[in-house]
Every structure is written in C-alpha cells, then in structure tokens.
Amino acid sequence: MLLVTRWLLNDIGGLANMAQQSQRKAALLYSAIDQSQGFYRGHAQVDSRSLINVVFNLATPDLEKRFIEAAKQLGIIGLEGHRSLGGIRASLYNSMPVEGALFLKNFMIEFQQQFQHSQQ
C-alpha cells in the first residue's frame, strides 16, 4: 500500500492527476469506437461508459478473434471478451499508461483500415 501511495503521489501527481489520466485513456479508445462508423460497436450509453473497462464488439466473432490475434502479435494481451457480453474488453487500470491506451487506439484504427472492406 505504501509503494502504491508513493507512486500515486510522486510519479502520478495525486488523485486528481490519476482521474485525469483515466479519463484521457478512456477517451482515446471511445473516440476510436465512435469514429469507426460502426466497425467497432460499444455497449454502454455514452453517459454510462466505464473509464476502466472499455467493452465493444466487431461485426462477427471471427473478426473479433482476428482482432485479438493481431493484437497479441503486437504484445497487446488480455483483450478477450467480457464474461457476460463477449466481444473485446480493454482494461485501463491505473497502472496502464496513457501511451498504452494510445498504442491500442492506433492499432484499432489500423485494424479497421485493413479489415473494413470485408464488412461492406
């Protein structure tokens, strides 16, 4: 607990900065979903979205499997679906840096560009 508290105060800059980082990380992923023109399909209403677990689906389970496998090739792990919703679940816990969320967002955009043609 002491190490986490020191990390939070000394490296992050306190609770307000941690909250700001959480909002920024979630906004990165939700922007990729919202701007995907339906390629990525979120579940939660905009005003009820989680800052920690971003859950979404792609058009088919096969495409979701391809997404997860392509992500693993880049070292992005743990995206297997939410236990009740399936699909994709990106967890943005406090230890996940903003850069990690940005990396995932960029991957999402590239994956969409590569596979969107198969959805039309």
Side-chain angles (χ1 to χ4, degrees):
M1 180 81 145
L2 180 61
L3 293 176
V4 171
T5 302
R6 286 181 180 159
W7 169 76
L8 179 61
L9 291 173
N10 298 331
D11 296 347
I12 302 301
L15 289 176
N17 284 348
M18 179 57 71
Q20 193 174 44
Q21 282 187 18
S22 292
Q23 291 170 351
R24 183 168 174 220
K25 291 183 293 189
L28 286 166
L29 298 190
Y30 287 123
S31 71
I33 294 167
D34 293 343
Q35 295 171 12
S36 75
Q37 301 174 327
F39 186 81
Y40 299 111
R41 302 166 186 171
H43 292 278
Q45 298 290 336
V46 172
D47 62 349
S48 298
R49 288 175 164 174
S50 173
L51 297 179
I52 302 301
N53 291 302
V54 177
V55 180
F56 57 95
N57 286 89
L58 284 82
T60 66
D62 181 59
L63 195 56
E64 290 171 357
K65 288 178 188 174
R66 293 175 93 169
F67 180 90
I68 290 168
E69 288 305 313
K72 283 181 183 177
Q73 295 297 315
L74 296 175
I76 304 170
I77 58 171
L79 294 176
E80 289 78 9
H82 188 273
R83 65 180 171 258
S84 62
L85 298 174
I88 309 296
R89 177 183 176 192
S91 296
L92 303 173
Y93 299 115
N94 290 337
S95 59
M96 166 67 74
V98 172
E99 295 80 12
L102 181 59
F103 188 78
L104 178 54
K105 176 189 176 177
N106 290 335
F107 165 73
M108 290 171 69
I109 292 168
E110 291 171 13
F111 187 87
Q112 178 183 353
Q113 290 170 347
Q114 183 178 3
F115 289 97
Q116 187 159 26
H117 68 278
S118 67
Q119 302 305 303
Q120 298 174 350

